[in-house]
Amino acid sequence: MQKLKIYFVMFFLFSFFVSCTDTVAPVLTGSISGFVNLYEENWAQIKDRACVKVYIEGRNNFAYTNTDGRYLLENVGAGIFNIVYEKESFGLNKRIAYEFVGGGEAYLYNIELMKLPSFNVTSINITKLTSQPPYLSIRGNLSDARNYSRSVILFFGKNEMVSNDPKNYLLVNSIYVYPDSSSFGYSFNDYNHYFLDAGFSSGKTVFVAAYSVSNYYWGSTPDPETGRYYFYNVGTSPVKSSFVLD
């Protein structure tokens, strides 16, 4: 009889422990609000900031900005997620791994979107100069000149798939384009060490993709897998070339 009582107590405690551990706390929900600023290629701010789509990757939550650029995401469950901001003809932007605790409204600082470049890179020329130390000269032309500064962004990779996708490049370099200029240029001093340190191999081909870009700093987010960055404010027609590393 005493053993039976002990078994009963043990069974009761086990059932209580299982029932407690199986209980799942409800996920807190809340809302997320903020503002989006829009800019022309020449950095002029756009007054009408409506129709930017704001959504959470992998979820059904989305909203659109009003004319003031304000958005409100509602019924958002707590968690860690990416928030995407996009509008046609603009480079998108993201908040990566945003942690939302729920239970109220979170206000996010402003985010910027910039018009995609309406100019293109039309050519690039790569020259290796045998000075001491040797240096690499990259020069190119654009589709037109503008009365404001712009940029060209170069991606360097190990094969012809080189692009602005962080999985397809090892190095990235931006080049400033002066106002009223339709050309660009950059020189790498002692370039062999520069590219060898980045993971390229001597005697192998380095592939280059040159993109027009409306803004080098905005619209770039890290890729957790590679540690390199996505760049969203680039043109759609890169010009490619290559050279052999000495």
Side-chain angles (χ1 to χ4, degrees):
M1 187 65 178
Q2 185 69 23
K3 288 184 178 181
L4 184 61
K5 289 182 178 179
I6 293 173
Y7 290 145
F8 177 77
V9 171
M10 291 177 64
F11 176 77
F12 174 78
L13 291 175
F14 176 77
S15 300
F16 177 77
F17 174 77
V18 171
S19 64
C20 288
T21 55
D22 285 347
T23 301
V24 178
V27 176
L28 292 176
T29 61
S31 58
I32 299 173
S33 65
F35 286 86
V36 178
N37 294 322
L38 300 178
Y39 292 87
E40 298 282 4
E41 289 182 73
N42 63 355
W43 298 78
Q45 188 166 6
I46 299 172
K47 292 183 178 180
D48 185 356
R49 295 176 280 168
C51 299
V52 177
K53 184 177 182 180
V54 184
Y55 63 92
I56 297 173
E57 282 187 333
R59 299 193 183 187
N60 295 324
N61 305 92
F62 71 92
Y64 288 91
T65 57
N66 62 15
T67 55
D68 294 326
R70 186 179 186 276
Y71 64 90
L72 177 64
L73 293 167
E74 299 181 290
N75 300 316
V76 179
I80 300 175
F81 43 75
N82 299 334
I83 305 176
V84 183
Y85 304 79
E86 65 179 19
K87 181 179 173 68
E88 186 178 359
S89 77
F90 287 79
L92 65 78
N93 210 337
K94 288 186 179 183
R95 295 187 192 275
I96 301 295
Y98 175 71
E99 184 174 3
F100 181 60
V101 298
E105 180 175 336
Y107 177 79
L108 302 183
Y109 59 87
N110 291 4
I111 201 161
E112 288 76 27
L113 299 185
M114 200 161 196
K115 276 280 187 73
L116 288 171
S118 58
F119 67 97
N120 291 308
V121 176
T122 57
S123 66
I124 56 173
N125 181 54
I126 301 175
T127 305
K128 294 190 292 184
L129 301 176
T130 57
S131 59
Q132 290 300 325
Y135 70 91
L136 185 77
S137 173
I138 298 181
R139 299 285 183 268
N141 294 300
L142 305 176
S143 55
D144 57 47
R146 306 284 175 90
N147 62 356
Y148 51 87
S149 62
R150 297 171 289 171
S151 295
V152 170
I153 187 167
L154 304 177
F155 296 92
F156 301 89
K158 290 186 173 182
N159 56 57
E160 295 177 349
M161 296 296 292
V162 62
S163 70
N164 62 321
D165 187 323
K167 297 176 180 60
N168 293 334
Y169 75 84
L170 291 181
L171 274 178
V172 61
N173 187 269
S174 67
I175 301 175
Y176 179 83
V177 180
Y178 289 93
D180 301 317
S181 176
S182 60
S183 62
F184 62 91
Y186 191 85
S187 295
F188 295 89
N189 294 320
D190 200 11
Y191 69 93
N192 284 320
H193 287 99
Y194 179 75
F195 286 95
L196 289 172
D197 289 345
F200 293 92
S201 301
S202 181
K204 298 294 184 180
T205 301
V206 177
F207 295 87
V208 187
Y211 288 79
S212 58
V213 58
S214 54
N215 188 291
Y216 176 72
Y217 300 102
W218 293 345
S220 60
T221 58
D223 173 42
E225 184 177 338
T226 64
R228 295 184 286 272
Y229 280 76
Y230 287 99
F231 291 88
Y232 302 112
N233 292 333
V234 298
T236 57
S237 302
V239 173
K240 296 187 176 183
S241 187
S242 64
F243 64 94
V244 176
L245 192 62
D246 295 330

